[in-house]
């Protein structure tokens, strides 16, 4: 008779499999970017990315708010022989008027209880990390934030929905002012349960709550979570399945009693699945059924008492008591008698049967939604059989005599190809919250240490002013006769006395030697109304054995390349004027004589240092006896850069290179250049600023990583400024930091790969790419380098690259500020307008370098208006222009 009466509550396996399929669809919707806004099952990302791995340790506090009471725990995780956990907890009451009052009062209450707990534990002076278990649907964008979407269960405090509960709690704690707490993680109770059980069983990847409310979480693949950046690894998803059916998808299985319960609840139309399943509603469901049956004369001979009609008089704990196999009927008699309905034995049997149907339906429904999660896990793993553990908590699951057994049985029937272990969470979600906090604490400690390390790369305005001041002092030392010998910044005269005036004309050859490539160019300059420059060039490689062989081999190789070019252009007969761009420190005694001071940038050819490179070139041409050339000028590439830009913009009187290496030149007053006779006019000075700091004047801002890069370089102790700025070295600085971070366990799971040990693996182009791209593409670049990185690794690598390149740009800007201010003072003007010709891959290709450098110059030399002009081929066109100017001046003298 009752079965017939409650047939709608008895769900067949067919129906349950159908519910399972529906829930699986809801999960997909919740995970997808397009459908999430309208999805009822919210599938909220929790930012918990792993279950405990056994390395967690420390002293933590866990708050647990959301069930029938409020708990505070102190959890100590230690590593003696194995990981051990000590817990002490206090339970605090949350009165009804606080649950339904203002949010401020609620959080003041929580803060007060926490203060009391810390007092008892005598830890008020400590700032312990806190994990906050908050059992309500929250949106998170990070672990230590939880924006309440909606209250559920018994709670209805005003002014909390839409707010961040961490901020509210912090505010309440600050207001008290008698202790400090560091809330590191907001954890849903399902997540806490999964983590608690995961501590004992590494296979646990589902958390399930069946108590006052119901909900579940599980570890989902990041690639399926549209709402969070990154595809790497897994993240725990809080399904918030209590809201399943809020869009009407369960209407066919909801009964009149479910509808009545919903109408009388605090949140009508919401959490419809929860209202069919959880402990807050189960007793009430039974009561409504009993009232209706009594009204129809099917129970208690139609007697209806005021008690039976009172909401909340029949509780879920009564359902549990009545369903006990032995004393259940006696309990039924007791409970019903208290309700004043004078039950007969038949009444007691009937009521027991009603309870069974209601609680069995609950277990069946949970089995079908859990089944959907298990199938998702199985498909994610691509296995035939899933072996997994479900961590469970909640008063209904724990207290009801038959519930757990029924749930397990139905689950195994609905998903026969899964081996599921159900693990009861002994300590609630507190231990799990502490575990999440431990992981968060470890990560935040790691971030703190990373920030601390990278702080050395953050230069203050004061530090940069100091660098500018020191650069100025070093420049003065290089210009003065008595200090020139010992000066590190050499300030070499170039004998280039003027920038182009537009009358230059003729055909010129240019050679460009300064890196791993060597170029030969033919440059045709035409003056007149429509000035044109036409260029032809060919690039030749310089093998490493020639770079590091004898000087004779190097110059023979150069002459062979010239010979090939002259044949290629069909101009071997003419004796063309030639400009030789030679991008190494040279002491010039005239425009066409340059003595190599020392090789840089990986060159090592013997018998060249101390020799005139023009002489070495002429000798090479003689040895070949094939053609003759008129070597007019030896040119430093910075000067070439300045000249090219000056051809376009007469205001350009500074050249800057930031590429493989770094250097600058500028037009200095002859009266200041003590190394060259004469007071009149100007001459371009090649600063050779890369050597700035070689006397130790930058040691206060050099880091251990700079020292490591310097120690292992070809020219240890030399070009220290350049090594903090230029492309050849930035990647090395980054690599050294990454090795250190990996050793300290911050990166690549502590595994130093062979790649990372390889010098110069991190080319500067990778730096430019990494800083330009999204994280996913950064991972791809790192993978090409053989570095298997997670999303978090990519973030750290990106941060490191940014810190290193930012400092480089600022240091470069500080040097440039020194130069423009010196020119301004030379000319005795309040404001200086000047153009800098710039070249170099780092400046051209890096996404932020030029912007940061420009800003630094502006900040440090506020009285100068500096324009930066990109040079088009300074070392080729520039060399030809210098040669042309040289020929023009030579003819004028004759």
């Amino acid at each position: 008779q009752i079965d017939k009466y409650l047939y709608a509550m008895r769900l067949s396996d067919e129906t349950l499999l159908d519910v399972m399929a529906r829930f699986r669809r809801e999960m997909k919707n919740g995970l997808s970017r397009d459908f999430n806004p309208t999805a009822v099952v919210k599938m909220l990302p929790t930012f918990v990315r792993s279950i405990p791995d056994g390395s967690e340790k420390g002293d933590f506090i866990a708050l647990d708010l959301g069930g029938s009471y409020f708990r505070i725990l102190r959890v100590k995780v230690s590593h003696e022989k194995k990981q051990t956990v000590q817990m002490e907890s206090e339970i605090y009451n949350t009165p009804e008027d606080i649950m339904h009052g203002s949010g401020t009062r609620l959080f003041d209450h929580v803060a007060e209880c926490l203060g009391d707990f810390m007092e008892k534990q005598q830890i008020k002076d400590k700032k312990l990390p806190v994990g906050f278990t908050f059992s309500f649907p929250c949106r998170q964008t990070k672990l230590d934030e939880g924006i309440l979407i909606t209250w559920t269960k018994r709670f209805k405090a005003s002014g909390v929905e839409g707010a961040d509960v961490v901020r509210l709690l912090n505010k309440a704690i600050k207001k008290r002012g008698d202790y400090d707490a560091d809330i590191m993680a907001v954890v849903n109770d399902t997540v806490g349960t999964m983590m608690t059980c995961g501590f004992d069983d590494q296979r646990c990847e589902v958390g399930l709550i069946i108590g006052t409310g119901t909900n579940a979480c599980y570890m989902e693949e990041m690639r399926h979570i549209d709402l969070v950046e990154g595809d790497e690894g897994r993240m725990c998803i809080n399904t918030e399945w209590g809201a399943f059916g809020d869009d009407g998808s369960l209407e066919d299985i909801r009964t009149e009693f479910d509808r009545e319960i919903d109408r009388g609840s605090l949140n009508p139309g919401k959490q419809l699945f929860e209202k069919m399943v959880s402990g807050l509603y189960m007793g009430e469901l039974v009561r409504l059924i009993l009232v209706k049956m009594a009204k129809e004369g099917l129970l208690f001979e139609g007697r209806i008492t005021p008690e039976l009609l009172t909401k909340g008089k029949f509780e879920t704990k009564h359902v549990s008591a009545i369903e006990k196999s032995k004393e259940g009927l006696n309990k039924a008699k007791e409970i019903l008698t208290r309700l004043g309905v004078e039950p007969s034995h038949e009444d007691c049997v009937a009521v027991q049967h009603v309870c069974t149907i209601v609680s069995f339906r609950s277990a069946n429904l949970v089995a079908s939604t859990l089944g959907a999660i298990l199938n998702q896990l199985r498909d994610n793993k691509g296995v035939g059989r899933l072996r997994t553990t479900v961590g469970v908590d909640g008063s209904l699951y724990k207290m009801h005599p038959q519930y757990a057994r029924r749930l397990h049985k139905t689950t195994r029937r609905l998903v026969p190809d899964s081996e599921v272990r159900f693990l009861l969470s002994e300590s609630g979600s507190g231990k799990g919250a502490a575990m999440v906090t431990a992981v968060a604490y470890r990560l935040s400690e790691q971030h703190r240490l990373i920030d601390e390390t990278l702080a050395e790369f953050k230069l203050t305005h004061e530090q940069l002013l100091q660098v500018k001041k020191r650069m100025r002092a070093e420049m003065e030392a290089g210009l003065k006769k008595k200090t020139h010998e010992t000066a590190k910044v050499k300030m070499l005269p170039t004998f280039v006395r003027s920038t182009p005036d537009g009358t230059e004309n003729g055909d010129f050859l240019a050679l460009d030697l300064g890196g791993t490539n060597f170029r030969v160019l033919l440059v045709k300059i035409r003056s007149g109304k429509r000035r044109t420059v036409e260029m032809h060039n060919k690039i030749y490689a310089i093998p490493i054995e020639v770079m590091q062989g004898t000087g004779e081999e190097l110059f023979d190789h150069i002459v062979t390349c010239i010979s090939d070019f002259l044949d290629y252009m069909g101009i071997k007969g003419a004796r063309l004027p030639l400009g030789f761009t030679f991008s190494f420190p040279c002491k010039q005694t005239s425009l066409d004589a340059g003595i190599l001071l020392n090789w840089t940038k990986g060159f090592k050819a013997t018998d060249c240092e101390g020799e005139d490179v023009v002489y070495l070139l002429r000798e090479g041409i003689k040895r070949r006896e094939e053609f003759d050339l008129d070597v007019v000028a030896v040119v430093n590439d910075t000067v070439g850069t300045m000249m090219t830009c000056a051809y376009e913009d007469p205001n350009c009187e500074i050249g800057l290179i930031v590429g493989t290496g770094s250097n600058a030149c500028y037009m200095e007053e002859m009266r200041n250049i003590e190394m060259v006779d004469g007071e009149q006019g100007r001459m371009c000075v090649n600063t050779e600023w890369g050597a700035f700091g070689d006397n130790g004047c930058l040691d206060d801002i050099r880091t251990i990583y700079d020292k490591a890069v310097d120690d292992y370089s070809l020219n240890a102790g030399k070009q220290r400024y350049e090594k903090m700025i230029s492309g050849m070295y930035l990647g090395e600085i980054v690599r050294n930091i990454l090795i250190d971070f990996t050793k300290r366990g911050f990166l690549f799971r502590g595994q130093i790969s062979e790649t990372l040990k390889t010098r110069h693996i991190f080319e500067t182009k990778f730096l430019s790419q990494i800083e330009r791209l999204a994280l996913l593409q950064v991972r791809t670049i790192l993978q090409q380098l053989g570095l298997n990185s997670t999303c978090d690794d990519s973030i750290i690598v990106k941060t490191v690259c940014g810190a290193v390149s930012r400092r480089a740009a600022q240091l470069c800007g500080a040097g440039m500020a020194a130069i423009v201010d010196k020119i301004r003072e030379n000319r005795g003007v309040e404001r200086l307008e000047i153009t800098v010709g710039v070249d170099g891959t780092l400046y051209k290709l890096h996404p932020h370098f030029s912007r940061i450098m420009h800003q630094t110059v502006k900040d440090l030399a506020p009285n100068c208006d500096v324009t930066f002009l990109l040079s088009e081929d300074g070392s080729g066109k520039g060399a030809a222009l210098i040669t042309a100017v040289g020929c023009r001046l030579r003819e004028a003298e004759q």
Side-chain angles (χ1 to χ4, degrees):
Q1 195 184 4
I2 290 170
D3 285 353
K4 211 153 80 198
Y5 197 79
L6 291 178
Y7 80 98
M9 285 206 165
R10 314 210 43 178
L11 305 172
S12 66
D13 275 7
E14 193 185 348
T15 305
L16 293 175
L17 286 166
D18 187 35
V19 170
M20 186 156 107
R22 287 182 218 178
F23 185 65
R24 186 88 186 265
R25 277 198 300 278
E26 293 292 337
M27 286 168 64
K28 281 219 164 30
N29 287 342
L31 288 173
S32 103
R33 181 176 285 111
D34 300 337
F35 296 111
N36 177 278
T38 54
V40 285
V41 176
K42 280 296 176 209
M43 302 297 281
L44 302 166
T46 63
F47 294 84
V48 171
R49 293 170 190 270
S50 63
I51 50 178
D53 65 358
S55 68
E56 297 76 19
K57 54 177 184 290
D59 194 350
F60 306 99
I61 289 177
L63 307 179
D64 187 349
L65 177 70
S68 348
Y69 47 76
F70 171 45
R71 267 172 90 207
I72 305 183
L73 304 91
R74 182 176 180 190
V75 185
K76 288 186 196 154
V77 193
S78 64
H79 283 263
E80 292 313 315
K81 300 226 173 5
K82 67 186 218 344
Q83 205 177 24
T84 53
V85 180
Q86 257 182 299
M87 294 200 289
E88 298 163 69
S89 70
E90 289 273 334
I91 289 180
Y92 295 89
N93 183 3
T94 307
E96 188 92 6
D97 62 315
I98 283 183
M99 289 199 271
H100 296 168
S102 75
T104 317
R105 267 190 73 201
L106 173 64
F107 284 97
D108 284 349
H109 172 69
V110 173
E112 186 183 339
C113 297
L114 181 55
D116 173 76
F117 180 78
M118 290 174 84
E119 187 90 48
K120 287 186 177 141
Q121 290 279 331
Q122 300 173 335
I123 49 174
K124 260 193 157 164
D125 52 336
K126 285 201 174 101
K127 185 176 181 180
L128 292 186
V130 177
F132 184 12
T133 302
F134 187 70
S135 323
F136 301 94
C138 281
R139 276 209 191 287
Q140 295 185 266
T141 59
K142 48 183 197 277
L143 199 50
D144 58 352
E145 149 193 281
I147 290 158
L148 178 63
I149 296 173
T150 162
W151 283 118
T152 57
K153 297 169 294 204
R154 292 200 183 85
F155 281 73
K156 201 69 180 164
S158 62
V160 185
E161 292 180 341
D164 175 6
V165 295
V166 176
R167 285 214 11 234
L168 295 176
L169 179 51
N170 272 329
K171 206 160 115 192
I173 291 171
K174 240 191 204 76
K175 193 158 72 185
R176 293 177 59 86
D178 59 340
Y179 66 88
D180 208 357
D182 193 3
I183 302 166
M184 306 218 79
V186 182
V187 184
N188 183 275
D189 54 343
T190 47
V191 183
T193 300
M194 180 187 77
M195 295 293 275
T196 299
C197 296
F199 185 77
D200 300 313
D201 179 346
Q202 286 273 301
R203 262 223 289 284
C204 182
E205 46 192 354
V206 183
L208 172 61
I209 301 264
I210 316 161
T212 314
T214 180
N215 190 11
C217 70
Y218 70 102
M219 295 302 290
E220 178 58 272
E221 302 294 316
M222 279 291 287
R223 63 175 188 272
H224 294 156
I225 308 173
D226 285 357
L227 298 172
V228 183
E229 197 37 72
D231 276 351
E232 176 63 26
R234 305 201 297 170
M235 182 182 284
C236 180
I237 287 289
N238 164 18
T239 64
E240 285 299 337
W241 76 14
F244 178 32
D246 287 7
D247 57 354
S249 60
L250 294 177
E251 285 315 300
D252 55 332
I253 60 170
R254 284 176 75 228
T255 65
E256 52 181 306
F257 308 110
D258 296 307
R259 294 194 173 88
E260 197 170 336
I261 277 238
D262 180 44
R263 282 198 295 276
S265 66
L266 278 171
N267 53 352
K270 300 244 170 29
Q271 302 292 105
L272 298 185
F273 179 74
E274 180 168 79
K275 286 170 184 164
M276 297 166 79
V277 165
S278 80
L280 184 55
Y281 308 100
M282 190 173 284
E284 189 59 14
L285 268 175
V286 172
R287 185 186 71 80
L288 292 174
I289 295 168
L290 299 186
V291 169
K292 185 162 190 229
M293 288 176 75
K295 278 184 178 162
E296 293 180 18
L298 296 170
L299 277 179
F300 320 133
E301 296 171 354
R303 276 188 298 280
I304 295 170
T305 64
E307 286 85 355
L308 185 61
L309 287 173
T310 306
K311 184 177 168 185
K313 272 287 187 214
F314 198 97
E315 297 175 49
T316 301
K317 64 179 182 198
H318 299 146
V319 179
S320 296
I322 290 170
E323 284 194 66
K324 286 203 165 99
S325 43
K326 296 224 169 35
E327 70 263 42
L329 288 173
N330 294 337
K331 286 283 179 200
K333 195 171 177 65
E334 239 176 76
I335 290 158
L336 292 167
T337 304
R338 279 210 298 270
L339 292 174
V341 291
E342 304 166 28
S344 64
H345 178 69
E346 282 70 32
D347 287 336
C348 292
V349 172
V351 169
Q352 188 178 48
H353 198 56
V354 170
C355 289
T356 302
I357 289 173
V358 171
S359 67
F360 215 130
R361 178 182 73 153
S362 166
N364 280 340
L365 284 170
V366 171
S368 54
T369 46
L370 177 62
I373 288 177
L374 295 171
N375 281 336
Q376 176 87 348
L377 282 172
R378 191 196 58 211
D379 294 350
N380 283 349
K381 293 186 177 172
V383 290
R385 270 191 90 68
L386 174 73
R387 286 185 66 189
T388 192
T389 299
V390 177
V392 200
D393 197 4
S395 46
L396 185 57
Y397 182 91
K398 281 183 179 162
M399 301 310 192
H400 189 288
Q402 324 288 338
Y403 197 97
R405 192 178 47 80
R406 291 174 187 161
L407 171 69
H408 303 170
K409 211 169 153 186
T410 310
T411 304
R412 293 190 175 116
R413 212 170 56 241
L414 294 179
V415 277
D417 43 12
S418 294
E419 277 174 61
V420 187
R421 176 183 181 211
F422 288 87
L423 186 56
L424 185 62
S425 156
E426 292 302 339
S427 49
S429 46
K431 179 156 101 182
M435 289 301 144
V436 176
T437 307
V439 174
Y441 183 65
R442 190 180 75 216
L443 285 174
S444 88
E445 265 304 277
Q446 178 178 310
H447 282 298
R448 193 180 61 75
L449 292 165
I450 287 173
D451 290 345
E452 202 174 274
T453 303
L454 294 182
E456 296 186 60
F457 288 87
K458 292 198 166 67
L459 301 175
T460 62
H461 183 72
E462 275 55 52
Q463 285 175 303
L464 290 167
L465 271 176
Q466 267 305 314
V467 173
K468 173 189 171 187
K469 199 170 121 194
R470 292 173 202 170
M471 175 68 89
R472 176 68 186 266
E474 295 294 306
M475 285 166 66
E476 301 287 0
L479 288 170
K480 300 237 178 319
K481 226 183 198 127
K482 60 172 194 290
T483 46
H484 178 83
E485 264 321 296
T486 57
K488 291 297 180 190
V489 177
K490 279 296 179 208
M491 305 296 284
L492 304 167
T494 64
F495 294 87
V496 170
R497 294 167 192 270
S498 92
T499 50
D501 65 0
T503 62
E504 295 74 21
N505 198 45
D507 293 1
F508 305 92
L509 270 185
L511 308 182
D512 175 13
L513 177 69
T516 41
N517 287 331
F518 167 62
R519 286 190 313 154
V520 187
L521 305 93
L522 173 65
V523 184
K524 302 182 169 187
I525 302 175
R526 299 292 174 263
S527 61
K529 269 206 176 64
R530 293 192 53 231
R531 299 188 307 175
T532 58
V533 178
E534 182 191 322
M535 299 203 290
H536 306 269
N537 72 37
K538 204 167 169 188
I539 296 179
Y540 302 89
I542 298 188
I544 193 136
E545 56 274 16
V546 175
M547 277 166 74
Q548 304 185 356
T550 69
E552 208 161 275
E553 286 166 347
L554 176 61
F555 279 90
D556 283 346
H557 178 72
I558 288 171
V559 171
T560 307
C561 296
I562 299 173
S563 167
D564 172 83
F565 182 76
L566 295 176
D567 286 337
Y568 169 72
M569 293 300 296
I571 47 171
K572 214 168 214 166
R575 182 174 187 263
L576 290 173
L578 174 140
F580 183 10
T581 300
F582 187 73
S583 317
F584 301 93
C586 269
K587 189 175 160 69
Q588 285 184 249
T589 49
S590 65
L591 190 59
D592 66 345
I595 290 155
L596 173 63
L597 296 177
N598 54 280
W599 285 119
T600 56
K601 293 181 285 198
F603 274 74
K604 271 270 198 267
T606 56
D607 311 321
C608 294
E609 293 182 358
E611 299 294 327
D612 174 6
V613 293
V614 175
Y615 172 76
L616 295 176
L617 177 61
R618 285 176 178 147
E619 287 303 295
I621 293 172
K622 271 188 196 147
R623 280 197 295 278
R624 181 128 185 148
E625 294 183 333
E626 254 188 42
F627 54 87
D628 195 15
L629 296 169
D630 172 18
V631 185
V632 175
V634 59
V635 182
N636 181 279
D637 54 347
T638 38
V639 186
T641 298
M642 178 186 79
M643 293 296 270
T644 316
C645 291
Y647 193 62
E648 309 298 326
D649 174 356
N651 221 7
C652 177
E653 302 187 74
I654 303 175
L656 168 67
I657 294 215
V658 204
T660 315
S662 178
N663 192 13
C665 68
Y666 69 103
M667 296 304 285
E668 177 58 272
E669 308 300 314
M670 278 293 289
R671 64 174 187 273
N672 294 337
I673 307 172
E674 296 184 4
M675 304 305 293
V676 182
D677 293 340
E679 301 286 305
Q680 292 312 300
R682 296 178 184 151
M683 181 183 284
C684 181
V685 168
N686 163 20
T687 63
E688 286 299 335
W689 80 4
F692 176 39
D694 289 4
N695 56 3
C697 71
L698 292 178
D699 286 1
D700 56 336
I701 58 170
R702 288 173 76 231
T703 65
I704 50 170
Y705 310 106
D706 294 305
K707 296 186 177 86
V709 169
D710 184 28
D711 290 344
Y712 286 105
S713 64
L714 281 170
N715 52 351
K718 296 209 163 62
Q719 302 291 101
R720 287 180 177 173
Y721 181 62
E722 175 170 80
K723 283 172 187 164
M724 296 166 84
I725 290 181
S726 78
M728 183 161 175
Y729 304 101
L730 295 190
E732 270 305 275
I733 300 174
V734 168
R735 189 181 66 85
N736 276 284
I737 299 173
L738 298 187
I739 285 181
D740 180 42
F741 282 4
T742 309
K743 279 184 184 153
R744 289 157 69 183
F746 304 160
L747 270 179
F748 308 132
R749 298 174 209 65
Q751 307 293 310
I752 299 184
S753 63
E754 282 310 306
T755 318
L756 206 48
K757 292 184 193 152
T758 316
R759 300 218 351 254
H760 302 300
I761 186 73
F762 249 93
E763 299 168 48
T764 305
K765 67 167 186 211
F766 287 133
L767 253 76
S768 297
Q769 286 172 351
I770 284 171
E771 288 190 62
R772 190 181 290 116
L773 297 175
L775 288 179
L776 220 68
Q777 295 154 300
V778 173
R779 275 189 54 221
T780 315
I781 292 178
L782 292 173
Q783 270 156 356
Q784 286 164 2
L785 290 174
L787 299 168
N788 206 348
S789 79
T790 64
C791 223
D792 290 338
D793 290 341
S794 309
I795 293 171
I796 295 172
V797 171
K798 201 168 175 167
T799 311
V800 169
C801 292
V804 170
S805 65
R806 181 179 188 83
R807 181 189 68 160
Q810 288 181 319
L811 284 172
C812 183
M816 185 45 70
I819 291 180
V820 294
D821 250 347
K822 178 161 192 348
I823 295 176
R824 187 179 65 81
E825 287 172 32
N826 284 348
R827 305 193 180 169
V829 292
E830 266 306 289
R831 282 202 84 74
L832 173 74
E833 278 193 31
I834 197 160
T835 300
V836 181
V838 201
D839 199 356
T841 44
L842 186 61
Y843 182 91
K844 282 182 176 167
L845 301 179
H846 192 281
H848 313 304
F849 189 95
S850 56
R851 178 175 51 81
I852 295 167
M853 188 194 90
H854 298 170
Q855 190 54 50
T856 309
V857 176
K858 217 184 194 132
D859 293 346
L860 301 179
N863 295 329
C864 302
D865 298 322
V866 187
T867 308
F868 290 87
L869 190 57
L870 261 185
S871 146
E872 292 307 315
D873 190 33
S875 27
K877 189 169 161 182
L881 282 166
I882 291 170
T883 308
V885 171
C887 291
R888 191 186 83 213
L889 295 176
R890 194 166 61 182
E891 281 156 22
E893 275 169 27
Q894 287 164 4

